[in-house]
Every structure is written in C-alpha cells, then in structure tokens.
Amino acid sequence: MVPTDDGSCTALEADTANRKVTFGANANCYFYTNFPAPCQQASTDGYNGLAFSVKAPAGGVSMLVEIQTTTTCSATAVATSSYFTVSGLTGNTQTVNIPFTQWASANAASVKGFVFQGFSTTSGTWEIGQTSLVCGAGSGGNSSVTVTSTSKTSSTSKVSLSASTTASAPPGACTDLLIDDWSSQSRLTFLFYNALLLPTSDDGTMKSIVVANNHVTLTPGSSSYFYSMVGCTSATNKYGGIGMNIKAAAGTTLQVELQISASCDSSNPTSSSLSSTQLGWTFDGTEKYYSMPFSKFPGLDTGHITAILFSNLNRVVTFGSLAFYCGATGSPYPVASSSQPAVPTSTVPATSGPNSFVIDAFANPDTNALGFWHGGDDPATYTISGGRITFSMKGNADLSWYTQLSGSCSDFTANDNGYLHIAYTGSAAFSVALQQHNPSCNEGVAPYPQTWDDVEAGRYSNSAKTDMYIPITHFNIDRKKAIGFAFKGFYASATTTVSKIELVQTVPSGFSVPSKLETAPLYFACTRPNSFAFAIDDGDPALAQQVLQAVNAANIKVTFFTVGAPLLDFGNNLTNVYKEMLGRGHQIALHSFTHPPMEGLPDNAAIDSELTQDIDAVQKTLNVRSKYFRPPFGTEGARIRQRLAAVIPGSKFINWSVDVEDYLWALSTTPEKQLDAFKRDLAKGGNLVVMHYLYPTTVQYLAQFIALAKATGKQLMRVDQCMEDPEAPPL
C-alpha cells in the first residue's frame, strides 16, 4: 500500500512504476493509509509489524508514525492513536521496520490505518514508498533506523481513505478473499464496484446484467467481456486460484483472462488466458463450482494480479460469488442468508380493546372483508385462492401489498387497545405498516399517503409461527387518518401465506407482547409551511459543475444525498465536488455506502454496515455528521428504520413527493417527460424532490425545474431547513 496525502503537502509527485511518492513537507502535511472497514486484524493474521521505505531530505531528521487502532474490530468503534518517532534518518533510501510492540497501548488485532506526519524539516524533498505489514518486523532493511516512543495519545482519528495491501500472508494463515458476491444491482451497474470496492463492469456491449440472490446473470452481445479489478493482489504461497459457482447451458464456452502488472499499474498489464475447455469445464444447465487454478495459467506472476476478465461468452451465464481460494482446491464462498427476525428481548403488558372484526379473509380477488380495495404493486408476486393469499416476492423488498380500512380516512383510534391478528404460515421476514392519509384526506394531493409506520412482523409471531399479534399503538402515526395496512419489505426468498387479517380485542393466554422498537420517522414532504426543497442524489461528477451553476444562478440552497463508497475513490473527484458544495452552503446527507435496497439485506449486521460505513466516509472525507438519510430506491421497512433510529438518534428518513422520473426518461427518446413528471407532482402539491445528476438531460432541465418550483410562490431551501430543524442554518 502506498500512502496518500491530506492535500496540504507541496510538490507532490507519484511514481507508480516504483510505487513511491515524493513531496515537500510543511507544518501540517501528513500522509495516511487505511485498511478496508471494519479493520485489519493484523496480529491475529500473524503480522507483527510495519515496514516502509523512506528517503529524508537530509541526515539527522525525523518523522512521526501514528497507528490508529480500536478496541474491537467494528466499523462504529472510535479509533485511538499511538505515536512513534523515527529518528536516525540519513538522507539515503532506508527501510524502516517497526514492531507493533513499540506502539504503547495499540491493539494490533484491530488496526484502522497509519499516518505519517511530524516531518522535522520542511526543506528539501521527502520520499515515502511501499508500505507493508510484515511477519518479521525488526529484521532486514538497508540501514539501521532508531525507533523511539512518544507518550502522546488521542481519541480521534485523522481523515483516512481506503487502500489495499499487497503484503505477503504469514505462514499458515489464510482466508479466502472475496472479489464479488453480487450483493446488489446498484453496486455493480450504478457504482461499478465489486466487493473489494474496486472497478468492475462490462465493455458496454452486454445485452443485460442482472443481479439477484447473490448471483449475476450476463447476457452477452457478439463480443462482450466482463472484468473485475483486484488491486494488486499477491497470491504467491497463499492463494491457489480463483473460483466461483457457474450456471450455464450445455455447450456454453468462455475465456478467462488473468491480468498482471509487476509495477501494479493496471493501465498496461500483461495477461494469461485459458478457455473454459482448457480449464476442463463443462456445463449442463445446473449450478456447480468451477475453479481457475493459477498453476494452469502459463507464465503467471502470482505476486501481482490486477484483474480477472471473462470474454468470448457464447451463451447466457450466471455467476455465483467470485473469490480467491486458499491452498490447492477451492469451494463456494459462503454468502449471508436472510436471518430470522430477532426474538424480542423485552415485553409489555397485554391490553384489551373494544372491537373485534375481520379485515381480510381473501374471499374476493379485488376487495377485502370490509368491502374495500386490496391489491399489490405487482400482481405477479401474489396469488389469492381458497381463502388465502400467498406472497412470493423473492426477496424484493421494494414491493408491497395493501388492504384498506376505508375509501378515505378512517379514525382507528377506538381500537388503540386492540391488536392486529395475522394468521399465517411460511416466512415472517417482512414488515407490516399502517398508512396515514394526508391532512385533506384527498388522494389527489401529494403526498399520498402522508406517511406510515412499520413493525417487523416476525417479532410479533407466536412460537409456533402461525399467528402474529401486533398492538395497534405500535404504529406511530395519526391513527385518526388511517388508510389501511400494508405488507412490505419482504427480505427472504421463501413464500408467506396469510389466511386471515383481523382486529382482535386481546392476545391469547401465554403470548408475550414485544415492546415497540423505535423507527426513524418517514417524510415525503417538507413540514415548514410554504417551503420547497430540492434533494438531489449522487450522480456523475463531470456534471456537478452544471448543477452548481444552475442552483447558484437561482440563488437557492439544496441538499445532496451522497453514497459513501465513491467518496473513498480517489479517481472520481467526488470528494472535492462535495467540498465545493459545502463551501457554497449546500447540505450533504447520507445515502448508504454502496447503494443497495437496504431493507432487502439479509440481516441487521448488513444494514448497520451500510449505515456506519456511509457515516464514516462522509465524516472522514467531508467532516460532516448528518442525521438525514435517504434510502436507495426509496426502499424502506421496519428493519432499516429501526436500525437508523438506533445508529443515529434523532435521524430522519427522507423520501419524496416530487419525482422527475429521470430513471425512466433521461436516456429515452422523450427526455422532456421529466418536465411532465415534475409538473404533475408539483400540481398535486408535492414539495420535496428526488432527482439525480446522472444524466445530461436531467441536469439541463434543472433550471426549468427550479423556475417551476419558484412559480408556486414557495420558498426554496435545504431539506434540514424545510424540516424546521433548529440546527439548520437560518433562512
């Protein structure tokens, strides 16, 4: 890993061929390198020190090396720092070896990163080269370097960005290295990142690339290829090859190419290729594990692997998780499966309501037992037959099914002491919501619904997994304006069958009523009277200046919801883009780390990881801590709202009531329909926008969007201002 500077060092030059940087130091200059979240378990993996090369401007000078560690290997743990002074530098190129034991109080089992700073002279040129974890710190090196301790400690970390390590593995210690688990469509085809947060994509000629259930299905064109970068991975004496599951029809063939670069420069690699036939692969339409042993690739330099590329595909193929495997043989890389809902840890006393009536017994395909509408977003995902409804959402957390309590607003408060009873079989991995109408009880006014609250269905199930009992008061909405119930946020592929939805007065004897878990409030509209907010999601950095020009010309402030992972990518300039936006008074808020549909993630740990890594990335690169979060795709459910409330107290879950529908029209032959969509929602009273600066046509229409919003007479402002946040800047 080669350190990266904080932007304050002077005359910075990077020599990628020799893997070093040269620079002029000043009082504030520092370089840093950080491991991928949550940490590098260095000592656990057998490493016992840090080695790097340095050439000082002159003899007799020194520098400070900081190690950042945490007590536990967690993305949310606060790093502490220990410092050491490297003295005895001669002015020649030297190799410094520092045992971890020389950093007092550092926890080498949970290393976040290193910072190089405190350069004792600002005259002349400094040089820092390849930095590696080593198994024999203190041995070797070109000349002697004295390492002396300082006692300074700190509870805060400096800004640090992701870097990959190419250090050799300690003997006997190896775990398979995941390249990609195809965790979400957007990470692959929106961010173009693999699981290593390195570039991956096709050549633009694939007919389709579809991610589902931790698999990717590639439908090739006549000469399509697909690649995934792996940094500069040293597999020597560690990894025996790369493997993955593949499902392909009989007769399928393809080519596998491994790219290498002795200098770790991916712009001019050499390659070694084998066909699927040469690898001994045959396909029969079933999914099987296939390996690519490095020993089969002629002339392969296993110390500097930079990419894997698949080409000459003659049929559709589906890939499972792609990973380096340890030793001579591999096996499928395990992926997380959807966990069962957490068992409640606290309960509340049972109550007794005044009413009991059936809401839905599924006797009619279009109406429920109350005579009101029931139906879903996609009729292909559910079937009603024999007095039952069976949901087969296949883990698509963005789809919902609804059953209404009335044709408009229903005052449901008389039932506050009662329970929603759901008789079911199958999976309980979904959310149940009670929806609230808007103040005018008019579905022609935006937003409709105004909001809703979710509960995690499985928390309210009996031990036999046949019945759920949900207290009506656990739906924190204005229950005087209830619309109906929704089943949503399905995050497992297993089916769910429901035979009855009813209101009951109390719960059976022996049923423990779980306590309500707090959910972050869900907003579709500004709360400040006569306000309007443009909330803009991540896009193309090349279009950012046009966005700024449009909002500056209109003299307005807007909010940008940013994905965390691209902020840590030095190549896209996104961090500098958002620093400029901050400097102009705009708001930066959270939008996940890699843009998956977060309610569809397999467990709370995966949701927390997306949240905490986004929080960390935004804070480290932009020095911003935000309590405003917009979910990718607008997908929400009980789990993401519960975890958001737990991770960020006082957080706000922001969706929208004005959608320009850029995802539908921006690249179509009728991009002007983005204007039509904006006008439609504006006419309904919508005042909170979703749009992306991904597409030139969308950005070109921004000035017109702003003019249309101003013509309503509403005041345009940031999201925190339109939410009447006392911590927002004054208007």
Side-chain angles (χ1 to χ4, degrees), residues 36 164 177-201 211 216 226-233 242 305-310 320-324 565-566 569 593-595 610 613:
S164 59
L177 176 62
L178 178 66
I179 299 170
D180 212 333
D181 57 356
W182 325 113
S183 67
S184 75
Q185 183 78 45
S186 53
R187 190 181 74 186
L188 179 59
T189 57
F190 171 58
L191 299 177
F192 305 105
Y193 289 146
N194 58 25
L196 298 170
L197 296 184
L198 293 171
T200 182
S201 186
V211 174
V216 62
F226 182 87
Y227 70 90
S228 197
M229 305 298 292
V230 297
C232 189
T233 298
I242 296 174
I305 302 174
T306 59
I308 183 170
L309 185 146
F310 302 95
S321 292
L322 180 68
F324 288 90
D569 184 343
F593 190 64
T594 64
H595 206 268
E610 279 289 326
Q613 288 189 88

Side-chain angles (χ1 to χ4, degrees), residues 401-625:
W401 180 88
Y402 315 89
T403 186
Q404 292 192 325
L405 296 170
S406 73
S408 181
C409 287
S410 174
D411 186 347
F412 213 59
T413 55
N415 304 298
D416 276 358
N417 288 328
Y419 296 82
L420 182 70
H421 170 228
I422 302 169
Y424 82 105
T425 58
S427 172
F430 61 94
S431 297
V432 179
L434 180 58
Q435 297 183 311
Q436 175 191 318
H437 219 309
N438 53 44
S440 60
C441 293
N442 182 351
E443 63 181 85
V445 172
Y448 168 76
Q450 180 82 12
T451 189
W452 57 77
D453 193 20
D454 303 286
V455 298
E456 191 177 352
R459 294 186 70 246
Y460 297 84
S461 177
N462 60 1
S463 58
K465 302 188 184 305
T466 57
D467 297 271
M468 301 171 186
Y469 295 91
I470 306 170
I472 297 302
T473 54
H474 282 202
F475 297 104
N476 288 333
I477 63 167
D478 181 356
R479 292 184 293 278
K480 291 183 178 180
K481 292 183 171 62
I483 300 172
F485 293 98
F487 289 23
K488 59 199 318 293
F490 290 82
Y491 61 94
S493 57
T495 61
T496 302
T497 297
V498 177
S499 57
K500 184 181 291 186
I501 304 172
E502 63 180 340
L503 184 75
V504 296
Q505 293 175 296
T506 190
V507 298
S509 176
F511 180 83
S512 296
V513 182
S515 59
K516 162 71 175 176
L517 293 182
E518 181 183 359
T519 51
L522 171 63
Y523 295 93
F524 292 87
C526 296
T527 61
R528 184 188 295 273
N530 205 42
S531 64
F532 191 99
F534 278 87
I536 305 173
D537 295 354
D538 265 344
D540 183 351
L543 299 174
Q545 288 302 318
Q546 295 179 52
V547 173
L548 284 175
Q549 290 170 9
V551 297
N552 291 340
N555 193 29
I556 65 170
K557 298 294 184 285
V558 302
T559 295
F560 294 94
F561 286 95
T562 181
V563 176
L567 293 175
L568 306 182
D569 184 343
F570 306 125
N572 62 27
N573 199 41
L574 198 61
T575 296
N576 289 330
V577 166
Y578 282 125
K579 284 181 177 179
E580 181 176 359
M581 292 172 175
L582 282 168
R584 294 178 180 269
H586 302 294
Q587 180 189 8
I588 303 297
L590 305 169
H591 194 40
S592 82
F593 190 64
T594 64
H595 206 268
M598 291 177 62
E599 187 64 25
L601 294 176
D603 52 33
N604 283 345
I607 293 172
D608 284 359
S609 178
E610 279 289 326
L611 288 173
T612 56
Q613 288 189 88
D614 191 26
I615 293 166
D616 289 348
V618 171
Q619 183 178 18
K620 288 177 180 178
T621 59
L622 303 175
N623 197 29
V624 168
R625 292 197 71 88

Side-chain angles (χ1 to χ4, degrees), residues 20 52-56 90-96 127 129 141-143:
K20 64 183 181 182
F52 63 94
S53 64
V54 61
K55 183 179 180 181
T90 64
N92 298 317
T93 299
Q94 299 167 270
T95 298
V96 179
E127 176 183 295
N142 297 327
S143 58

